[in-house]
Amino acid sequence: TQLLEQSPQFLSIQEGENLTVYCNSSSVFSSLQWYRQEPGEGPVLLVTVVTGGEVKKLKRLTFQFGDARKDSSLHITAAQPGDTGLYLCAGARAGNNRKLIWGLGTSLAVNP
Amino acid sequence: NAGVMQNPRHLVRRRGQEARLRCSPMKGHSHVYWYRQLPEEGLKFMVYLQKENIIDESGMPKERFSAEFPKEGPSILRIQQVVRGDSAAYFCASSLSRAGGPGEQYFGPGTRLTVT
């Protein structure tokens, strides 16, 4: 059973389009992180959200943490080929923030 | 400020040999995590260590795999008598030692192990 479900699993879009990917769970997390991984490299931390309902923006990326802290979304505006990669979400459970629970990722391809 | 360092980046071993993967955490980080990733798959947690202590090894296979993080020097993930199924990318991550933090982990570039 996957505690963090990411959807869609794969996404292929054209440059300039908008997209949203999701990270859902039935469990409550004290915080949730989003990472991007490019082929042949390690994941790179993009953002951490901590408060229910929190919205954080990183240039064209908008991250939202659900009110109940069970889910999160990542919205990309005007996607560019440089956004291509595997987007991973990882949650920290209350009382055990050292061991993260990982989703399987959304593989995004942005075509020029 | 150097990030997480892993070496080697690529490692080729014949079946039955030993593989040693090294990880130096970010400066000031005393928590190290090892993950394994197969192509087109997410990260699978293997083990979490602090200096001289294994905190959680629930993701480690019971046989042939071991990990250490000595007081001095890098963390080592050791795989004895490798088999073809051990071929994967192995990532190390580190985090700060302070309690109550959000658990943000910073990753190294990984070691790609190929068993022939």
Side-chain angles (χ1 to χ4, degrees), chain A residues 2-6 22-25 29-36 43 45 47-50 65 69 72 87-93 97-105, chain B residues 35 43 102-105 107:
Chain A
Q2 192 67 25
L3 288 178
L4 269 174
E5 300 281 349
Q6 289 193 247
Y22 302 92
C23 176
N24 296 311
S25 176
F29 293 97
S30 59
S31 67
L32 197 139
Q33 301 165 27
W34 284 92
Y35 293 80
R36 179 171 67 217
L45 179 65
V47 78
T48 301
V49 285
V50 178
F65 202 12
R69 291 185 290 137
S72 181
Y87 288 82
L88 295 159
C89 67
R93 306 274 284 272
N97 66 348
R98 297 299 175 192
K99 183 178 176 181
L100 294 174
I101 308 297
W102 290 85
L104 294 180
Chain B
Y35 294 87
L43 293 166
E104 294 169 340
Q105 297 183 10
F107 283 79

Side-chain angles (χ1 to χ4, degrees), chain A residues 99, chain B residues 33-37 43-48 54 56-61 65-67 77-79 89-91:
Chain A
K99 183 178 176 181
Chain B
Y33 311 78
W34 285 94
Y35 294 87
R36 170 187 160 115
Q37 187 177 42
L43 293 166
K44 289 196 180 299
F45 168 82
M46 298 182 72
V47 63
Y48 158 41
I54 296 175
D56 184 339
E57 57 181 347
S58 58
M60 286 271 275
F65 285 72
S66 62
L77 178 67
R78 183 181 177 207
I79 311 173
Y90 292 84
F91 290 98

Side-chain angles (χ1 to χ4, degrees), chain A residues 52-108:
Chain A
E54 181 177 6
V55 176
K56 281 191 174 179
K57 293 197 174 188
L58 185 65
K59 296 183 180 177
R60 293 176 294 99
L61 279 58
T62 302
F63 303 86
Q64 184 161 8
F65 202 12
D67 291 341
R69 291 185 290 137
K70 293 183 180 181
D71 52 76
S72 181
S73 64
L74 159 58
H75 181 80
I76 301 179
T77 304
Q80 298 177 2
D83 296 326
T84 294
L86 179 68
Y87 288 82
L88 295 159
C89 67
R93 306 274 284 272
N96 186 10
N97 66 348
R98 297 299 175 192
K99 183 178 176 181
L100 294 174
I101 308 297
W102 290 85
L104 294 180
T106 291
S107 181
L108 171 65

